């Protein structure tokens, strides 16, 4: 699993606490389920340029978007757009899972 966490509010103490909690959870999961040659979660705390993101979205098998606080999040749209390069049934096997909260 690749988790991309784009830093946005690094000067806010609650954000820093949440970031620490996420790092701890990733560390525990990788410690329990990882091996010497592989980890379960690759966690990136940084932005990626549009070319890198499109390349990742194009080869991704499943996208999980769980941003509850983002208003107009375009990740899901970009993921679907990058799936257009896949042909036939392969494109149908790349589901998008959205978590919505009202």
């Amino acid at each position: 699993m690749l988790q991309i966490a784009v830093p946005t509010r690094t000067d806010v103490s609650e954000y820093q606490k949440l970031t620490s909690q996420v790092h701890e959870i990733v560390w525990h999961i990788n410690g329990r389920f990882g091996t010497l040659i592989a980890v379960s979660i690759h966690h990136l705390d940084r932005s990626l340029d549009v070319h890198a993101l499109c390349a990742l979205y194009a080869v991704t098998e499943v996208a999980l978007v769980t941003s509850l606080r983002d208003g107009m999040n375009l990740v899901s749209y970009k993921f679907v757009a990058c799936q257009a390069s896949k042909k036939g049934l392969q494109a149908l096997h790349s589901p998008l899972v959205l978590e919505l909260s009202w």
Side-chain angles (χ1 to χ4, degrees):
M1 178 176 138
L2 173 63
Q3 178 180 18
I4 302 170
V6 178
T8 56
R9 298 169 188 92
T10 55
D11 56 337
V12 177
S13 65
E14 285 298 315
Y15 182 89
Q16 293 168 355
K17 288 178 190 176
L18 181 60
T19 300
S20 290
Q21 289 174 342
V22 169
H23 289 169
E24 187 174 327
I25 292 168
V26 169
W27 181 80
H28 282 293
I29 291 171
N30 284 339
R32 181 163 183 199
F33 300 105
T35 66
L36 291 175
I37 58 172
V39 294
S40 299
I41 301 173
H42 294 274
H43 178 82
L44 301 179
D45 271 326
R46 62 184 180 98
S47 298
L48 296 176
D49 67 44
V50 67
H51 299 293
L53 276 176
C54 287
L56 283 173
Y57 292 156
V59 299
T60 297
E61 294 179 20
V62 176
L64 176 64
V65 180
T66 62
S67 297
L68 296 177
R69 292 179 181 87
D70 283 349
M72 187 62 178
N73 191 321
L74 297 176
V75 171
S76 55
Y77 171 77
K78 292 174 185 176
F79 171 75
V80 171
C82 290
Q83 297 302 305
S85 64
K86 295 182 178 178
K87 304 293 184 213
L89 291 177
Q90 185 181 3
L92 299 175
H93 291 104
S94 296
L96 171 63
V97 181
L98 299 173
E99 180 178 339
L100 302 174
S101 176
W102 295 98

